[in-house]
């Protein structure tokens, strides 16, 4: 219950900063653009974190268990788990996470 209240409070504060043009991006461009970039970056970050969790979590699982029911997942895991691709993916993902967190900070942090 308290975590939900803190989440709502945080969302209200960030949105009021964006719509009140009190962030670096919203101060220079229209607040709607800052809001859209903020939401896009949050969504992209969530997809990257979820994708990494899935790829790491599926490493020890036998691929035959999901080969027929999840063909796209099978193709992704075969590519990611071949050789040292997983390590390369994790390193590259870290650089992208830094970039996205920087963009989120520009869109949502108060001046």
């Amino acid at each position: 219950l308290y975590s939900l209240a803190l989440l709502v409070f945080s969302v209200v504060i960030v949105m009021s900063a964006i719509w009140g043009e009190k962030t670096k991006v919203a101060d220079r461009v229209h607040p709607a653009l800052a809001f859209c970039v903020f939401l896009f970056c949050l969504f992209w970050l969530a997809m990257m974190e979820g994708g990494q969790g899935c790829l790491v979590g599926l490493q020890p699982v036998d691929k035959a268990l999901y080969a027929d029911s999840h063909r796209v997942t099978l193709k992704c895991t075969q590519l990611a788990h071949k050789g040292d691709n997983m390590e390369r993916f994790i390193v590259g993902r870290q650089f992208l996470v830094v970039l996205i967190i920087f963009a989120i900070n520009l869109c949502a942090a108060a001046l």
Side-chain angles (χ1 to χ4, degrees):
L1 183 63
Y2 294 113
S3 60
L4 180 62
L6 286 173
L7 176 66
V8 169
F9 175 74
S10 299
V11 168
V12 168
I13 294 297
V14 170
M15 292 304 115
S16 65
I18 289 175
W19 291 108
E21 299 181 4
K22 293 180 173 63
T23 66
K24 287 184 181 181
V25 174
D27 188 41
R28 292 181 174 91
V29 298
H30 196 274
L33 179 62
F35 178 72
C36 290
V37 169
F38 174 71
L39 286 183
F40 175 76
C41 287
L42 278 181
F43 181 73
W44 194 4
L45 182 64
M47 297 316 270
M48 284 192 310
E49 294 295 334
Q52 182 206 359
C54 292
L55 286 174
V56 170
L58 284 173
Q59 274 183 326
V61 176
D62 183 24
K63 291 178 180 24
L65 293 174
Y66 56 87
D68 293 330
S69 60
H70 299 84
R71 291 188 181 114
V72 175
T73 303
L74 178 65
K75 289 179 183 178
C76 290
T77 55
Q78 283 175 338
L79 178 65
H81 297 160
K82 183 170 39 168
D84 62 347
N85 286 348
M86 195 63 193
E87 289 78 16
R88 291 177 181 181
F89 167 74
I90 290 174
V91 170
R93 183 194 122 328
Q94 283 303 113
F95 285 112
L96 192 55
V97 165
V98 169
L99 174 72
I100 290 179
I101 294 295
F102 183 73
I104 289 172
N105 186 35
L106 285 175
C107 290
L111 289 174

